[in-house]
Amino acid sequence: MNPSLPRLLQLASPALPVGAYTYSQGLEWAVESGRVHDQASALAWIAALLEEGIGCFEAPLTAQLQRAWEAAEHGEIERLNADFLASRESSELRAETLQMGYSLRRLLHELEDFAVPSAFDALPELSFPVGWALAADVWKIPVADSLTAYLWSWCENQAMAALKAVPLGQAAGQRILLALGSRLPNVVEQALALPEECWSNFAPGLALACSCHETQYTRLFRS
């Protein structure tokens, strides 16, 4: 058995105490506005963000962060962290990645036999992908595997948000995950090969949804 597999499953588990389940990343507003109202529309919304949003910016950036940790390129890590924070279109999205980054940093300090590098603690504002990439590097998880798990965890959180907000049944949630899972290999392959000059997080619908969520009257989620 691959010795890194248990660590990979631990990192991608919903039990990871970083609070990901409290965020919908604009999906809750999409439900409120009627754009997402059933299984088909939920899948269309999440798949579009996976393939045209997170897969084209956050995914290649996270992979590059893991490579930078492996090479101890601390200046590159700082640059990519700043780029990711600057890419967050709303205050909620920025607060989300900072809260999750803070929680992951605290967790890694509390784990036995996890050597936290000083460069990690030197970042005053830590985005979540930086912490994820460090954990994947320390646990010797191959980049393709860690990125697949990173995206799967995101898909799972989005599907669970749809189950609560639409609402949808458990079987519908599993059908959504099956459909998203079938798309992951292509998204990962493209992200690993995408040069930085082609990275793009252009998703105006997501930005508007996240901005509108900030003033939404009734909310279950923090973004």
Side-chain angles (χ1 to χ4, degrees):
M1 184 186 75
N2 185 343
S4 68
L5 180 58
R7 300 287 73 78
L8 176 66
L9 295 174
Q10 181 178 1
L11 192 56
S13 171
L16 192 74
V18 295
Y21 69 93
T22 64
Y23 300 101
S24 81
Q25 297 194 351
L27 179 59
E28 186 172 29
W29 181 83
V31 173
E32 175 73 14
S33 67
R35 286 164 174 78
V36 173
H37 51 85
D38 58 11
Q39 176 186 322
S41 56
L43 174 59
W45 177 274
I46 300 169
L49 289 180
L50 172 66
E51 295 176 330
E52 301 170 25
I54 188 173
C56 296
F57 183 76
E58 189 170 341
L61 181 142
T62 302
Q64 183 61 23
L65 277 166
Q66 185 172 341
R67 299 187 190 104
W69 278 120
E70 182 179 5
E73 296 175 344
H74 299 150
E76 176 73 351
I77 293 165
E78 184 176 354
R79 181 184 72 84
L80 291 170
N81 181 62
D83 284 354
F84 186 73
L85 290 176
S87 75
R88 303 299 84 192
E89 296 95 336
S90 72
S91 61
E92 286 186 349
L93 285 179
R94 193 175 192 278
E96 173 184 338
T97 195
L98 288 175
Q99 179 272 304
M100 291 175 63
Y102 170 83
S103 296
L104 183 54
R105 175 154 53 187
R106 184 176 61 183
L107 171 66
L108 295 179
H109 272 288
E110 294 176 352
L111 296 180
E112 296 179 359
D113 300 325
F114 193 102
V116 177
S118 59
F120 188 53
D121 288 331
L123 293 169
E125 292 187 308
L126 180 74
S127 65
F128 180 65
V130 174
W132 175 285
L134 172 64
D137 174 57
V138 170
W139 285 334
K140 306 303 179 186
I141 301 170
V143 175
D145 292 343
S146 70
L147 187 57
T148 300
Y150 184 93
L151 294 174
W152 172 259
S153 180
W154 179 86
C155 289
E156 190 172 41
N157 283 328
Q158 287 284 289
M160 291 303 297
L163 259 65
K164 298 172 185 176
V166 174
L168 299 174
Q170 295 293 333
Q174 291 303 308
R175 288 191 290 267
I176 288 173
L177 287 173
L178 281 170
L180 293 171
S182 68
R183 302 178 188 222
L184 279 184
N186 285 337
V187 175
V188 170
E189 181 179 3
Q190 292 174 16
L192 292 174
L194 195 66
E196 186 170 353
E197 59 268 22
C198 295
W199 295 1
S200 172
N201 71 327
F202 182 70
L206 172 63
L208 289 171
C210 292
S211 297
C212 290
H213 186 269
E214 293 178 353
T215 57
Q216 189 171 321
Y217 179 70
T218 302
R219 298 185 296 177
L220 295 174
F221 298 93
R222 298 169 67 182
S223 72

